[in-house]
Short mmCIF file of all heavy atoms in Angstrom, two decimals:
data_model
loop_
_atom_site.label_atom_id
_atom_site.label_comp_id
_atom_site.label_asym_id
_atom_site.label_seq_id
_atom_site.Cartn_x
_atom_site.Cartn_y
_atom_site.Cartn_z
N MET A 1 -30.47 6.46 12.27
CA MET A 1 -29.59 5.39 12.69
C MET A 1 -29.73 4.22 11.73
O MET A 1 -29.98 3.11 12.13
CB MET A 1 -29.95 4.94 14.09
CG MET A 1 -29.43 5.77 15.24
SD MET A 1 -27.72 6.14 15.25
CE MET A 1 -27.06 4.87 16.24
N ASP A 2 -29.50 4.49 10.51
CA ASP A 2 -29.61 3.47 9.49
C ASP A 2 -28.48 2.44 9.58
O ASP A 2 -28.67 1.27 9.31
CB ASP A 2 -29.63 4.13 8.12
CG ASP A 2 -30.11 3.21 7.04
OD1 ASP A 2 -31.11 2.51 7.26
OD2 ASP A 2 -29.48 3.19 5.98
N ASN A 3 -27.30 2.89 9.98
CA ASN A 3 -26.13 2.02 10.04
C ASN A 3 -25.85 1.58 11.47
O ASN A 3 -24.81 1.84 12.04
CB ASN A 3 -24.89 2.75 9.50
CG ASN A 3 -25.02 3.06 8.03
OD1 ASN A 3 -25.72 2.36 7.32
ND2 ASN A 3 -24.35 4.11 7.59
N HIS A 4 -26.77 0.89 12.06
CA HIS A 4 -26.60 0.43 13.43
C HIS A 4 -25.79 -0.87 13.44
O HIS A 4 -26.18 -1.86 12.82
CB HIS A 4 -27.95 0.21 14.11
CG HIS A 4 -27.82 -0.21 15.53
ND1 HIS A 4 -27.35 0.64 16.50
CD2 HIS A 4 -28.09 -1.39 16.14
CE1 HIS A 4 -27.33 -0.01 17.65
NE2 HIS A 4 -27.79 -1.24 17.45
N HIS A 5 -24.64 -0.82 14.12
CA HIS A 5 -23.79 -2.00 14.23
C HIS A 5 -23.83 -2.52 15.65
O HIS A 5 -23.85 -1.76 16.60
CB HIS A 5 -22.33 -1.65 13.88
CG HIS A 5 -22.17 -1.12 12.49
ND1 HIS A 5 -22.28 -1.91 11.38
CD2 HIS A 5 -21.91 0.13 12.05
CE1 HIS A 5 -22.10 -1.18 10.31
NE2 HIS A 5 -21.87 0.08 10.68
N SER A 6 -23.80 -3.80 15.77
CA SER A 6 -23.72 -4.37 17.11
C SER A 6 -22.28 -4.81 17.35
O SER A 6 -21.65 -5.39 16.49
CB SER A 6 -24.67 -5.56 17.25
OG SER A 6 -24.32 -6.56 16.34
N GLY A 7 -21.75 -4.47 18.50
CA GLY A 7 -20.37 -4.84 18.82
C GLY A 7 -19.43 -3.67 18.63
O GLY A 7 -19.79 -2.63 18.10
N PRO A 8 -18.20 -3.85 19.09
CA PRO A 8 -17.23 -2.76 18.99
C PRO A 8 -16.80 -2.49 17.55
O PRO A 8 -16.92 -3.34 16.68
CB PRO A 8 -16.05 -3.25 19.84
CG PRO A 8 -16.23 -4.71 19.97
CD PRO A 8 -17.68 -5.00 19.79
N VAL A 9 -16.30 -1.30 17.33
CA VAL A 9 -15.87 -0.89 15.99
C VAL A 9 -14.67 -1.70 15.52
O VAL A 9 -14.51 -1.95 14.34
CB VAL A 9 -15.54 0.63 15.99
CG1 VAL A 9 -15.00 1.08 14.66
CG2 VAL A 9 -16.76 1.43 16.38
N GLU A 10 -13.81 -2.12 16.45
CA GLU A 10 -12.59 -2.84 16.09
C GLU A 10 -12.87 -4.17 15.41
O GLU A 10 -12.01 -4.72 14.74
CB GLU A 10 -11.74 -3.10 17.34
CG GLU A 10 -11.20 -1.85 17.99
CD GLU A 10 -12.20 -1.25 18.96
OE1 GLU A 10 -13.12 -1.96 19.41
OE2 GLU A 10 -12.07 -0.05 19.26
N THR A 11 -14.05 -4.71 15.56
CA THR A 11 -14.37 -6.00 14.95
C THR A 11 -15.14 -5.80 13.66
O THR A 11 -16.06 -6.55 13.36
CB THR A 11 -15.18 -6.87 15.92
OG1 THR A 11 -16.39 -6.18 16.23
CG2 THR A 11 -14.39 -7.19 17.16
N GLY A 12 -14.74 -4.83 12.86
CA GLY A 12 -15.40 -4.55 11.59
C GLY A 12 -15.09 -5.63 10.57
O GLY A 12 -15.01 -6.81 10.89
N ALA A 13 -14.89 -5.22 9.35
CA ALA A 13 -14.63 -6.17 8.27
C ALA A 13 -13.32 -6.91 8.52
O ALA A 13 -12.37 -6.36 9.06
CB ALA A 13 -14.58 -5.44 6.94
N SER A 14 -13.32 -8.15 8.12
CA SER A 14 -12.09 -8.93 8.32
C SER A 14 -11.01 -8.45 7.36
O SER A 14 -11.28 -7.98 6.27
CB SER A 14 -12.37 -10.41 8.08
OG SER A 14 -12.81 -10.60 6.74
N MET A 15 -9.77 -8.54 7.79
CA MET A 15 -8.63 -8.04 7.02
C MET A 15 -8.26 -9.05 5.95
O MET A 15 -8.16 -10.25 6.21
CB MET A 15 -7.45 -7.81 7.95
CG MET A 15 -6.21 -7.40 7.29
SD MET A 15 -5.92 -5.69 7.60
CE MET A 15 -4.31 -5.52 6.92
N ASP A 16 -8.04 -8.56 4.74
CA ASP A 16 -7.59 -9.41 3.65
C ASP A 16 -6.07 -9.38 3.65
O ASP A 16 -5.43 -8.52 3.05
CB ASP A 16 -8.16 -8.89 2.32
CG ASP A 16 -7.86 -9.80 1.16
OD1 ASP A 16 -7.28 -10.88 1.38
OD2 ASP A 16 -8.20 -9.42 0.03
N TYR A 17 -5.45 -10.33 4.34
CA TYR A 17 -4.01 -10.32 4.52
C TYR A 17 -3.26 -10.59 3.23
O TYR A 17 -2.16 -10.05 3.03
CB TYR A 17 -3.60 -11.33 5.60
CG TYR A 17 -3.99 -10.88 6.97
CD1 TYR A 17 -5.08 -11.42 7.63
CD2 TYR A 17 -3.27 -9.88 7.61
CE1 TYR A 17 -5.44 -10.98 8.89
CE2 TYR A 17 -3.62 -9.42 8.87
CZ TYR A 17 -4.71 -9.99 9.50
OH TYR A 17 -5.07 -9.54 10.75
N ALA A 18 -3.81 -11.38 2.35
CA ALA A 18 -3.13 -11.63 1.07
C ALA A 18 -3.05 -10.35 0.25
O ALA A 18 -2.00 -10.04 -0.34
CB ALA A 18 -3.87 -12.72 0.30
N GLU A 19 -4.12 -9.59 0.21
CA GLU A 19 -4.10 -8.31 -0.52
C GLU A 19 -3.17 -7.31 0.16
O GLU A 19 -2.48 -6.55 -0.52
CB GLU A 19 -5.52 -7.75 -0.61
CG GLU A 19 -5.62 -6.47 -1.40
CD GLU A 19 -5.27 -6.65 -2.87
OE1 GLU A 19 -5.49 -7.75 -3.41
OE2 GLU A 19 -4.76 -5.68 -3.47
N HIS A 20 -3.14 -7.33 1.47
CA HIS A 20 -2.23 -6.45 2.21
C HIS A 20 -0.77 -6.77 1.86
O HIS A 20 0.03 -5.86 1.62
CB HIS A 20 -2.47 -6.60 3.71
CG HIS A 20 -1.51 -5.83 4.55
ND1 HIS A 20 -1.65 -4.48 4.76
CD2 HIS A 20 -0.42 -6.22 5.24
CE1 HIS A 20 -0.66 -4.06 5.53
NE2 HIS A 20 0.09 -5.11 5.84
N ASP A 21 -0.43 -8.04 1.82
CA ASP A 21 0.93 -8.45 1.46
C ASP A 21 1.29 -8.05 0.04
O ASP A 21 2.40 -7.59 -0.22
CB ASP A 21 1.11 -9.95 1.64
CG ASP A 21 1.20 -10.36 3.10
OD1 ASP A 21 1.51 -9.50 3.94
OD2 ASP A 21 0.97 -11.55 3.38
N ARG A 22 0.36 -8.22 -0.89
CA ARG A 22 0.63 -7.83 -2.28
C ARG A 22 0.83 -6.33 -2.40
O ARG A 22 1.73 -5.87 -3.11
CB ARG A 22 -0.51 -8.29 -3.20
CG ARG A 22 -0.48 -9.77 -3.52
CD ARG A 22 -1.45 -10.11 -4.65
NE ARG A 22 -2.84 -9.83 -4.31
CZ ARG A 22 -3.66 -10.67 -3.70
NH1 ARG A 22 -3.23 -11.85 -3.34
NH2 ARG A 22 -4.90 -10.33 -3.45
N THR A 23 0.03 -5.55 -1.71
CA THR A 23 0.17 -4.10 -1.75
C THR A 23 1.49 -3.66 -1.14
O THR A 23 2.20 -2.81 -1.70
CB THR A 23 -1.00 -3.43 -1.01
OG1 THR A 23 -2.22 -3.85 -1.60
CG2 THR A 23 -0.90 -1.92 -1.06
N TYR A 24 1.86 -4.24 -0.01
CA TYR A 24 3.12 -3.89 0.65
C TYR A 24 4.32 -4.26 -0.22
O TYR A 24 5.26 -3.48 -0.37
CB TYR A 24 3.19 -4.60 2.00
CG TYR A 24 4.44 -4.27 2.78
CD1 TYR A 24 4.64 -3.00 3.31
CD2 TYR A 24 5.42 -5.24 2.99
CE1 TYR A 24 5.78 -2.70 4.03
CE2 TYR A 24 6.56 -4.93 3.70
CZ TYR A 24 6.74 -3.67 4.21
OH TYR A 24 7.87 -3.38 4.91
N ASN A 25 4.28 -5.44 -0.83
CA ASN A 25 5.38 -5.86 -1.70
C ASN A 25 5.48 -4.98 -2.94
O ASN A 25 6.58 -4.67 -3.40
CB ASN A 25 5.23 -7.32 -2.08
CG ASN A 25 5.51 -8.24 -0.92
OD1 ASN A 25 6.27 -7.90 -0.01
ND2 ASN A 25 4.88 -9.41 -0.92
N ALA A 26 4.34 -4.55 -3.48
CA ALA A 26 4.36 -3.65 -4.63
C ALA A 26 4.92 -2.29 -4.23
O ALA A 26 5.69 -1.68 -5.00
CB ALA A 26 2.95 -3.49 -5.20
N PHE A 27 4.59 -1.80 -3.04
CA PHE A 27 5.15 -0.54 -2.56
C PHE A 27 6.66 -0.64 -2.40
O PHE A 27 7.40 0.27 -2.81
CB PHE A 27 4.50 -0.15 -1.22
CG PHE A 27 5.18 1.02 -0.57
CD1 PHE A 27 4.94 2.31 -1.04
CD2 PHE A 27 6.04 0.83 0.48
CE1 PHE A 27 5.57 3.39 -0.45
CE2 PHE A 27 6.68 1.91 1.07
CZ PHE A 27 6.44 3.19 0.61
N LEU A 28 7.14 -1.72 -1.81
CA LEU A 28 8.58 -1.89 -1.63
C LEU A 28 9.30 -1.98 -2.97
O LEU A 28 10.38 -1.40 -3.14
CB LEU A 28 8.87 -3.13 -0.80
CG LEU A 28 8.56 -3.04 0.69
CD1 LEU A 28 8.92 -4.34 1.38
CD2 LEU A 28 9.28 -1.88 1.32
N ALA A 29 8.72 -2.70 -3.92
CA ALA A 29 9.34 -2.82 -5.24
C ALA A 29 9.37 -1.46 -5.94
O ALA A 29 10.38 -1.09 -6.55
CB ALA A 29 8.58 -3.84 -6.09
N GLY A 30 8.28 -0.71 -5.84
CA GLY A 30 8.26 0.62 -6.46
C GLY A 30 9.26 1.56 -5.84
O GLY A 30 9.93 2.34 -6.53
N ALA A 31 9.41 1.49 -4.53
CA ALA A 31 10.39 2.33 -3.84
C ALA A 31 11.81 1.94 -4.24
O ALA A 31 12.66 2.81 -4.48
CB ALA A 31 10.21 2.22 -2.34
N LYS A 32 12.07 0.65 -4.33
CA LYS A 32 13.40 0.17 -4.69
C LYS A 32 13.77 0.57 -6.11
O LYS A 32 14.83 1.16 -6.34
CB LYS A 32 13.45 -1.36 -4.55
CG LYS A 32 14.76 -1.99 -4.97
CD LYS A 32 14.79 -3.48 -4.70
CE LYS A 32 13.95 -4.24 -5.67
NZ LYS A 32 14.12 -5.70 -5.57
N TRP A 33 12.89 0.30 -7.07
CA TRP A 33 13.18 0.61 -8.48
C TRP A 33 13.17 2.11 -8.73
O TRP A 33 13.98 2.62 -9.51
CB TRP A 33 12.21 -0.11 -9.40
CG TRP A 33 12.39 -1.60 -9.35
CD1 TRP A 33 11.60 -2.49 -8.70
CD2 TRP A 33 13.45 -2.36 -9.93
NE1 TRP A 33 12.09 -3.76 -8.86
CE2 TRP A 33 13.22 -3.71 -9.61
CE3 TRP A 33 14.56 -2.03 -10.68
CZ2 TRP A 33 14.07 -4.72 -10.02
CZ3 TRP A 33 15.41 -3.05 -11.09
CH2 TRP A 33 15.16 -4.38 -10.76
N GLY A 34 12.27 2.82 -8.09
CA GLY A 34 12.22 4.27 -8.26
C GLY A 34 13.47 4.95 -7.73
O GLY A 34 14.01 5.87 -8.35
N THR A 35 13.95 4.49 -6.57
CA THR A 35 15.18 5.04 -6.01
C THR A 35 16.36 4.75 -6.93
O THR A 35 17.21 5.62 -7.15
CB THR A 35 15.44 4.44 -4.62
OG1 THR A 35 14.32 4.74 -3.78
CG2 THR A 35 16.71 4.98 -4.01
N MET A 36 16.41 3.55 -7.47
CA MET A 36 17.49 3.19 -8.39
C MET A 36 17.50 4.13 -9.60
O MET A 36 18.55 4.66 -9.98
CB MET A 36 17.37 1.75 -8.86
CG MET A 36 18.49 1.33 -9.80
SD MET A 36 18.13 -0.13 -10.78
CE MET A 36 17.00 0.52 -11.99
N VAL A 37 16.35 4.36 -10.21
CA VAL A 37 16.28 5.19 -11.41
C VAL A 37 16.67 6.64 -11.09
O VAL A 37 17.41 7.27 -11.85
CB VAL A 37 14.88 5.10 -12.04
CG1 VAL A 37 14.71 6.15 -13.13
CG2 VAL A 37 14.64 3.72 -12.61
N ILE A 38 16.21 7.16 -9.96
CA ILE A 38 16.54 8.54 -9.60
C ILE A 38 18.04 8.70 -9.34
O ILE A 38 18.66 9.67 -9.78
CB ILE A 38 15.72 8.99 -8.37
CG1 ILE A 38 14.23 9.03 -8.72
CG2 ILE A 38 16.20 10.34 -7.85
CD1 ILE A 38 13.88 10.00 -9.82
N VAL A 39 18.65 7.75 -8.62
CA VAL A 39 20.09 7.83 -8.36
C VAL A 39 20.88 7.73 -9.65
O VAL A 39 21.83 8.49 -9.88
CB VAL A 39 20.51 6.72 -7.35
CG1 VAL A 39 22.01 6.59 -7.28
CG2 VAL A 39 19.93 7.02 -5.99
N ILE A 40 20.49 6.83 -10.54
CA ILE A 40 21.18 6.69 -11.82
C ILE A 40 21.00 7.94 -12.67
O ILE A 40 21.92 8.39 -13.36
CB ILE A 40 20.71 5.42 -12.55
CG1 ILE A 40 21.23 4.19 -11.81
CG2 ILE A 40 21.17 5.40 -13.99
CD1 ILE A 40 20.69 2.88 -12.32
N LEU A 41 19.83 8.53 -12.63
CA LEU A 41 19.60 9.78 -13.37
C LEU A 41 20.51 10.89 -12.85
O LEU A 41 21.09 11.64 -13.65
CB LEU A 41 18.13 10.20 -13.24
CG LEU A 41 17.74 11.50 -13.93
CD1 LEU A 41 17.91 11.37 -15.43
CD2 LEU A 41 16.31 11.86 -13.58
N MET A 42 20.67 10.99 -11.54
CA MET A 42 21.57 12.01 -10.97
C MET A 42 23.02 11.76 -11.38
O MET A 42 23.75 12.70 -11.70
CB MET A 42 21.47 12.02 -9.44
CG MET A 42 20.14 12.49 -8.91
SD MET A 42 19.86 14.21 -9.33
CE MET A 42 18.26 14.08 -10.06
N ILE A 43 23.44 10.49 -11.41
CA ILE A 43 24.81 10.17 -11.83
C ILE A 43 25.00 10.53 -13.30
O ILE A 43 26.02 11.11 -13.69
CB ILE A 43 25.11 8.68 -11.58
CG1 ILE A 43 25.17 8.40 -10.08
CG2 ILE A 43 26.42 8.27 -12.24
CD1 ILE A 43 25.22 6.93 -9.72
N ALA A 44 24.02 10.19 -14.14
CA ALA A 44 24.12 10.51 -15.57
C ALA A 44 24.12 12.01 -15.80
O ALA A 44 24.85 12.51 -16.67
CB ALA A 44 22.97 9.83 -16.33
N MET A 45 23.32 12.74 -15.04
CA MET A 45 23.31 14.20 -15.19
C MET A 45 24.64 14.80 -14.75
O MET A 45 25.15 15.73 -15.39
CB MET A 45 22.16 14.80 -14.38
CG MET A 45 20.80 14.53 -14.99
SD MET A 45 19.44 15.04 -13.93
CE MET A 45 19.64 16.80 -13.93
N ALA A 46 25.23 14.27 -13.69
CA ALA A 46 26.54 14.75 -13.26
C ALA A 46 27.60 14.45 -14.30
O ALA A 46 28.48 15.28 -14.56
CB ALA A 46 26.91 14.11 -11.92
N ALA A 47 27.52 13.28 -14.93
CA ALA A 47 28.47 12.95 -16.00
C ALA A 47 28.31 13.88 -17.19
O ALA A 47 29.29 14.29 -17.80
CB ALA A 47 28.29 11.50 -16.43
N GLY A 48 27.08 14.24 -17.49
CA GLY A 48 26.84 15.11 -18.64
C GLY A 48 27.20 16.56 -18.37
O GLY A 48 27.80 17.22 -19.22
N PHE A 49 26.87 17.07 -17.19
CA PHE A 49 27.08 18.48 -16.89
C PHE A 49 28.50 18.77 -16.43
O PHE A 49 29.11 19.74 -16.86
CB PHE A 49 26.09 18.97 -15.83
CG PHE A 49 24.67 19.02 -16.31
CD1 PHE A 49 23.64 18.62 -15.48
CD2 PHE A 49 24.37 19.47 -17.59
CE1 PHE A 49 22.33 18.67 -15.92
CE2 PHE A 49 23.06 19.52 -18.02
CZ PHE A 49 22.03 19.12 -17.19
N PHE A 50 29.02 17.94 -15.52
CA PHE A 50 30.29 18.25 -14.90
C PHE A 50 31.44 17.42 -15.47
O PHE A 50 32.59 17.82 -15.37
CB PHE A 50 30.23 18.03 -13.38
CG PHE A 50 29.15 18.82 -12.73
CD1 PHE A 50 28.10 18.21 -12.07
CD2 PHE A 50 29.16 20.21 -12.79
CE1 PHE A 50 27.11 18.94 -11.47
CE2 PHE A 50 28.17 20.96 -12.20
CZ PHE A 50 27.13 20.32 -11.54
N GLY A 51 31.14 16.27 -16.04
CA GLY A 51 32.19 15.41 -16.56
C GLY A 51 32.50 15.64 -18.02
O GLY A 51 33.44 15.07 -18.56
N GLY A 52 31.73 16.46 -18.68
CA GLY A 52 31.97 16.75 -20.08
C GLY A 52 31.53 15.65 -21.02
O GLY A 52 31.97 15.60 -22.17
N ALA A 53 30.68 14.75 -20.57
CA ALA A 53 30.23 13.65 -21.42
C ALA A 53 29.22 14.10 -22.45
O ALA A 53 29.04 13.44 -23.48
CB ALA A 53 29.65 12.53 -20.57
N GLY A 54 28.52 15.19 -22.20
CA GLY A 54 27.50 15.66 -23.12
C GLY A 54 26.23 14.83 -23.02
O GLY A 54 26.10 13.94 -22.18
N PHE A 55 25.31 15.12 -23.93
CA PHE A 55 24.02 14.44 -23.89
C PHE A 55 24.14 12.96 -24.24
O PHE A 55 23.59 12.11 -23.54
CB PHE A 55 23.03 15.12 -24.84
CG PHE A 55 21.71 14.44 -24.90
CD1 PHE A 55 20.82 14.54 -23.86
CD2 PHE A 55 21.36 13.66 -25.99
CE1 PHE A 55 19.59 13.89 -23.89
CE2 PHE A 55 20.15 13.01 -26.04
CZ PHE A 55 19.26 13.13 -24.99
N ILE A 56 24.86 12.65 -25.31
CA ILE A 56 24.98 11.25 -25.74
C ILE A 56 25.73 10.44 -24.69
O ILE A 56 25.34 9.31 -24.37
CB ILE A 56 25.68 11.17 -27.11
CG1 ILE A 56 24.90 11.95 -28.17
CG2 ILE A 56 25.88 9.72 -27.53
CD1 ILE A 56 23.51 11.41 -28.44
N GLY A 57 26.79 10.99 -24.15
CA GLY A 57 27.54 10.28 -23.12
C GLY A 57 26.72 10.03 -21.87
O GLY A 57 26.76 8.94 -21.29
N SER A 58 25.99 11.04 -21.44
CA SER A 58 25.17 10.85 -20.24
C SER A 58 24.01 9.89 -20.50
O SER A 58 23.61 9.14 -19.61
CB SER A 58 24.66 12.19 -19.72
OG SER A 58 23.81 12.80 -20.67
N LEU A 59 23.49 9.90 -21.71
CA LEU A 59 22.44 8.94 -22.06
C LEU A 59 22.99 7.51 -22.03
O LEU A 59 22.33 6.59 -21.53
CB LEU A 59 21.87 9.26 -23.45
CG LEU A 59 20.73 8.38 -23.94
CD1 LEU A 59 19.52 8.54 -23.03
CD2 LEU A 59 20.37 8.73 -25.37
N LEU A 60 24.21 7.33 -22.54
CA LEU A 60 24.83 6.00 -22.49
C LEU A 60 25.11 5.58 -21.04
O LEU A 60 24.89 4.41 -20.69
CB LEU A 60 26.13 6.00 -23.29
CG LEU A 60 25.96 6.05 -24.81
CD1 LEU A 60 27.32 6.18 -25.48
CD2 LEU A 60 25.23 4.82 -25.30
N VAL A 61 25.56 6.50 -20.20
CA VAL A 61 25.77 6.19 -18.78
C VAL A 61 24.45 5.78 -18.14
O VAL A 61 24.39 4.80 -17.40
CB VAL A 61 26.39 7.41 -18.05
CG1 VAL A 61 26.34 7.23 -16.54
CG2 VAL A 61 27.81 7.63 -18.52
N PHE A 62 23.38 6.51 -18.45
CA PHE A 62 22.06 6.20 -17.89
C PHE A 62 21.60 4.81 -18.30
O PHE A 62 21.14 4.02 -17.47
CB PHE A 62 21.06 7.26 -18.35
CG PHE A 62 19.68 7.06 -17.81
CD1 PHE A 62 19.39 7.35 -16.49
CD2 PHE A 62 18.66 6.59 -18.62
CE1 PHE A 62 18.11 7.18 -15.98
CE2 PHE A 62 17.38 6.41 -18.13
CZ PHE A 62 17.11 6.70 -16.80
N ILE A 63 21.74 4.49 -19.57
CA ILE A 63 21.28 3.19 -20.07
C ILE A 63 22.12 2.06 -19.49
O ILE A 63 21.58 1.04 -19.02
CB ILE A 63 21.30 3.16 -21.61
CG1 ILE A 63 20.23 4.11 -22.16
CG2 ILE A 63 21.12 1.75 -22.15
CD1 ILE A 63 20.31 4.35 -23.64
N ILE A 64 23.44 2.22 -19.48
CA ILE A 64 24.32 1.16 -18.98
C ILE A 64 24.09 0.92 -17.48
O ILE A 64 24.02 -0.22 -17.03
CB ILE A 64 25.79 1.51 -19.27
CG1 ILE A 64 26.04 1.41 -20.79
CG2 ILE A 64 26.74 0.61 -18.52
CD1 ILE A 64 27.36 1.99 -21.24
N LEU A 65 23.97 2.00 -16.72
CA LEU A 65 23.75 1.83 -15.28
C LEU A 65 22.37 1.25 -14.98
O LEU A 65 22.21 0.51 -14.00
CB LEU A 65 23.95 3.15 -14.55
CG LEU A 65 25.39 3.65 -14.44
CD1 LEU A 65 25.43 4.97 -13.72
CD2 LEU A 65 26.25 2.63 -13.75
N ASN A 66 21.37 1.56 -15.78
CA ASN A 66 20.05 0.94 -15.59
C ASN A 66 20.10 -0.55 -15.86
O ASN A 66 19.48 -1.34 -15.14
CB ASN A 66 18.99 1.61 -16.47
CG ASN A 66 18.33 2.75 -15.78
OD1 ASN A 66 17.91 2.63 -14.64
ND2 ASN A 66 18.23 3.87 -16.46
N ILE A 67 20.82 -0.95 -16.89
CA ILE A 67 20.96 -2.39 -17.19
C ILE A 67 21.68 -3.07 -16.05
O ILE A 67 21.27 -4.14 -15.58
CB ILE A 67 21.68 -2.59 -18.53
CG1 ILE A 67 20.78 -2.12 -19.68
CG2 ILE A 67 22.07 -4.04 -18.72
CD1 ILE A 67 21.47 -2.04 -21.01
N ALA A 68 22.76 -2.45 -15.55
CA ALA A 68 23.49 -3.03 -14.41
C ALA A 68 22.60 -3.07 -13.16
O ALA A 68 22.63 -4.04 -12.41
CB ALA A 68 24.75 -2.22 -14.15
N GLY A 69 21.80 -2.03 -12.96
CA GLY A 69 20.93 -1.99 -11.79
C GLY A 69 19.85 -3.06 -11.82
O GLY A 69 19.50 -3.62 -10.77
N VAL A 70 19.34 -3.36 -12.99
CA VAL A 70 18.34 -4.43 -13.11
C VAL A 70 18.93 -5.76 -12.68
O VAL A 70 18.29 -6.54 -11.96
CB VAL A 70 17.79 -4.49 -14.56
CG1 VAL A 70 17.01 -5.76 -14.79
CG2 VAL A 70 16.93 -3.28 -14.85
N PHE A 71 20.16 -6.02 -13.09
CA PHE A 71 20.78 -7.27 -12.70
C PHE A 71 21.16 -7.31 -11.21
O PHE A 71 21.08 -8.35 -10.58
CB PHE A 71 22.02 -7.57 -13.56
CG PHE A 71 21.68 -7.96 -14.96
CD1 PHE A 71 22.00 -7.13 -16.02
CD2 PHE A 71 21.00 -9.13 -15.23
CE1 PHE A 71 21.67 -7.47 -17.31
CE2 PHE A 71 20.66 -9.49 -16.52
CZ PHE A 71 21.00 -8.67 -17.55
N LEU A 72 21.55 -6.16 -10.66
CA LEU A 72 21.96 -6.13 -9.27
C LEU A 72 20.77 -6.15 -8.30
O LEU A 72 20.89 -6.67 -7.19
CB LEU A 72 22.80 -4.88 -8.99
CG LEU A 72 24.18 -4.88 -9.63
CD1 LEU A 72 24.85 -3.53 -9.42
CD2 LEU A 72 25.03 -5.99 -9.06
N LEU A 73 19.63 -5.60 -8.68
CA LEU A 73 18.50 -5.52 -7.76
C LEU A 73 17.50 -6.65 -7.89
O LEU A 73 16.46 -6.62 -7.24
CB LEU A 73 17.77 -4.18 -7.96
CG LEU A 73 18.50 -2.94 -7.46
CD1 LEU A 73 17.65 -1.72 -7.67
CD2 LEU A 73 18.88 -3.08 -6.02
N ARG A 74 17.79 -7.62 -8.67
CA ARG A 74 16.85 -8.74 -8.79
C ARG A 74 16.74 -9.50 -7.52
O ARG A 74 17.51 -9.68 -6.71
CB ARG A 74 17.28 -9.71 -9.89
CG ARG A 74 16.92 -9.22 -11.23
CD ARG A 74 17.17 -10.28 -12.22
NE ARG A 74 16.88 -9.78 -13.55
CZ ARG A 74 17.06 -10.49 -14.63
NH1 ARG A 74 17.52 -11.70 -14.55
NH2 ARG A 74 16.78 -10.00 -15.78
#
């Protein structure tokens, strides 16, 4: 019984709320930007495969939509 604690388990270490907020905000930002990139990648792939844009055209669609997405998601 080396780790004998007095009191209930729920009163363990105090919560670092500032770190919790930073982690949550980083998760939300990663989810938002990651979703944007995946959706834009799917649109660019559809333009290249089904729209006849080819590799260069789909690459341009990907770059242009990413630039637009950065401005829209700020």
Side-chain angles (χ1 to χ4, degrees):
M1 279 310 266
D2 196 44
N3 295 333
H4 182 69
H5 300 288
S6 61
V9 176
E10 295 86 20
T11 60
S14 61
M15 176 107 172
D16 186 4
Y17 288 104
E19 183 65 30
H20 175 78
D21 285 340
R22 283 192 298 272
T23 302
Y24 182 69
N25 289 333
F27 171 77
L28 287 181
K32 176 175 74 171
W33 293 103
T35 302
M36 180 198 75
V37 169
I38 295 299
V39 168
I40 290 173
L41 179 64
M42 293 295 128
I43 292 170
M45 288 173 66
F49 291 140
F50 303 118
F55 177 74
I56 301 297
S58 63
L59 182 64
L60 288 174
V61 168
F62 181 74
I63 292 170
I64 290 168
L65 288 179
N66 270 313
I67 291 170
V70 167
F71 288 113
L72 291 174
L73 289 182
R74 281 189 183 177

